[in-house]
Amino acid sequence: VSGYYGKDNFGAEGGSLSWGNRTATFRWTHLASQKLFINTTAIFSDFAYGIGSDFDNESFKLTAGIKDINLKQDFNYFLSPNQTISFGWNSIYHTLTPGKTTVVDGAGISSSLQFVEKKALESGIYFSDEVKFNSKFSVNFGLRYSFLNNLGPADVYEYSEDGSIETIWGYKNREIYNSYQGVEPRINLDWRINKQSALKGAAGRNIQYLHQINNGSAGLPIDVYLISSPNIKPLVTDQASVGYFRNFKANQYEFSTEIYYKNFHNLPDYVDGTQVFMNPNIEASVIATQGRAYGLEMYLKKNVGKLTGWASYTLAKTERKSPTINQGGWFPARQDRRHELSLVGIYELSPKYTLSATWIYFTGDAVTFPTAKFRLDGETYFYFSERNGYRMPNYHRADIGLTKKLKSRKRWESDLNSSIYNLYNRRNAFMLNVRENYLNTGNTEVVKTALFGLVPAVTYNFKF
């Protein structure tokens, strides 16, 4: 049994941003026989996020979130030393809260508005077979069948081409008003060239029913979560990868390199100019786009000695394409990061003390910035011409930590860790806001907001 609760709050210039998770997991592991192994898991998760503001004794708060109840069973059957069969099922009950607003006026009177929750049941069954043909070659192939049922109560809208509501259909509690289904095949190949090296390949299809619509601007990083519905088709991805893996000097070092390509179908995005957050009719502005992602990943690890650690590097590209965005050409997705580098070192100073250090670097996310502005009736309006045509500043930071092993007892082990997050106090951008300069009206400025500078921490760990 495990549980977790965490919440973050951020405030600046009369506004606030919060996000947090609550989770609980119950897992039962059962050895039914010498050959059959069963895992049964029940998971509850609650993710909530929102923004707020306070001006002149008035307050405004907007919240949204996702609640999931997940039940699943996984079976592993060891048919022989060279063959293992896996199969199982899972079912997730989704409850999406698109948005709730609460306003308190100067007189202390509160009013609220809440969008209707979206509910759906996502389920799947799977089967896989891992076969070792000999000491050098093995294959793992499988098939998964998944399906989604949208459930009432719900009002389902049909939209005309201009986005206006054409028809409304009402459905009762737990009534199924829409369904999707699909087959997801996959295969993994493993060829041991010799004792030091191996070649691996994989291919597969995945179907995703829960979607994240990114806010393309560099302002508040608030995204919207949607479930597949009569107006939003499931996302289908096809991916293939090939990798080379090698050990050096009697497994003291590990090296791997891998290339991959992923193709996206029915990737949901929004029409330019759409109000993404707190839009009751956002489905009218959601369009299906194409997508592709490809790249090279490299990894080197040192396993033994006083100094251990690893280095990883990824060169990648993630793009989208739609006839109605950026004149129909390919444009970078919000998650597109061309370069990503991680360096980790762990040095054993003595049997009691261990020093560790980490350095992380990656290309800034793609964002949409205004390319022009105009004034109307004394107000300034910004014009956005290109989706994700700009970049957030590149991100990098260093962390360092010192761990001391405390005195161990027969049934008790513990250690004390002192660490510093963001050692050289890099002010990485959390968001960028474009606004009028308060002191020089008519001039536009970009204001960077950073969350964390240098953060010291002390952690005590124990096992019993």
Side-chain angles (χ1 to χ4, degrees), residues 26-331:
F26 171 82
R27 181 176 177 180
W28 176 52
T29 301
H30 178 58
L31 190 62
S33 68
Q34 292 184 348
K35 291 188 175 183
L36 182 61
F37 190 77
I38 305 173
N39 272 324
T40 303
T41 310
I43 305 170
F44 168 80
S45 65
D46 182 6
F47 170 64
Y49 60 101
I51 58 176
S53 62
D54 293 286
F55 295 103
D56 298 328
N57 297 322
E58 296 184 355
S59 65
F60 168 84
K61 188 175 182 180
L62 190 155
T63 57
I66 305 173
K67 290 182 182 179
D68 283 344
I69 299 175
N70 186 1
L71 299 175
K72 63 176 184 175
Q73 276 190 308
D74 300 296
F75 301 83
N76 293 306
Y77 185 71
F78 301 94
L79 191 63
S80 71
N82 294 322
Q83 186 173 10
T84 302
I85 296 174
S86 301
F87 56 96
W89 64 273
N90 84 293
S91 189
I92 307 174
Y93 183 67
H94 297 290
T95 303
L96 277 68
T97 303
K100 178 182 179 181
T101 60
T102 303
V103 179
V104 180
D105 62 20
I109 300 175
S110 175
S111 59
S112 63
L113 170 66
Q114 181 171 350
F115 294 162
V116 178
E117 293 180 335
K118 306 288 186 180
K119 298 183 178 182
L121 184 65
E122 178 184 353
S123 301
I125 57 175
Y126 74 92
F127 170 87
S128 67
D129 191 359
E130 182 179 4
V131 182
K132 296 180 181 179
F133 292 97
N134 50 50
S135 60
K136 290 189 175 182
F137 186 66
S138 64
V139 177
N140 188 328
F141 60 92
L143 194 67
R144 185 175 185 269
Y145 170 71
S146 65
F147 56 94
L148 177 83
N149 291 324
N150 295 107
L151 305 175
D155 289 332
V156 180
Y157 302 151
E158 291 185 7
Y159 299 97
S160 57
E161 290 186 1
D162 61 2
S164 60
I165 299 174
E166 197 170 74
T167 311
I168 303 177
W169 302 92
Y171 296 91
K172 300 178 182 178
N173 188 34
R174 298 181 182 177
E175 183 178 359
I176 298 175
Y177 62 86
N178 180 68
S179 296
Y180 287 110
Q181 58 184 336
V183 176
E184 304 168 59
R186 61 198 65 185
I187 186 171
N188 293 274
L189 306 175
D190 189 339
W191 177 35
R192 303 285 174 175
I193 302 173
N194 51 46
K195 292 182 179 181
Q196 290 79 34
S197 57
L199 190 65
K200 299 182 181 182
R205 164 167 287 196
N206 291 281
I207 300 175
Q208 182 175 307
Y209 301 101
L210 188 64
H211 313 288
Q212 182 186 46
I213 305 296
N214 297 117
N215 175 16
S217 72
L220 288 175
I222 294 293
D223 300 319
V224 173
Y225 296 86
L226 301 173
I227 196 76
S228 295
S229 69
N231 298 306
I232 304 175
K233 294 181 179 180
L235 168 63
V236 180
T237 63
D238 296 308
Q239 178 171 321
S241 63
V242 177
Y244 175 73
F245 301 78
R246 183 176 175 84
N247 294 337
F248 298 92
K249 293 187 177 181
N251 297 330
Q252 292 185 46
Y253 296 90
E254 296 178 14
F255 172 77
S256 66
T257 181
E258 190 171 10
I259 57 173
Y260 68 90
Y261 184 88
K262 181 185 288 188
N263 203 28
F264 301 87
H265 312 275
N266 302 325
L267 188 63
D269 211 322
Y270 57 91
V271 178
D272 285 335
T274 300
Q275 177 187 331
V276 176
F277 207 51
M278 283 303 288
N279 182 351
N281 298 311
I282 189 173
E283 289 190 1
S285 302
V286 174
I287 55 176
T289 67
Q290 294 177 255
R292 63 187 181 188
Y294 49 94
L296 166 70
E297 297 178 346
M298 303 179 71
Y299 179 78
L300 177 65
K301 182 180 181 182
K302 185 176 184 292
N303 292 313
V304 297
K306 284 197 169 185
L307 177 63
T308 59
W310 63 88
S312 65
Y313 171 72
T314 300
L315 175 66
K317 198 170 188 179
T318 304
E319 298 176 302
R320 295 184 177 184
K321 185 179 182 180
S322 170
T324 61
I325 302 175
N326 288 9
Q327 284 127 13
W330 288 100
F331 63 95

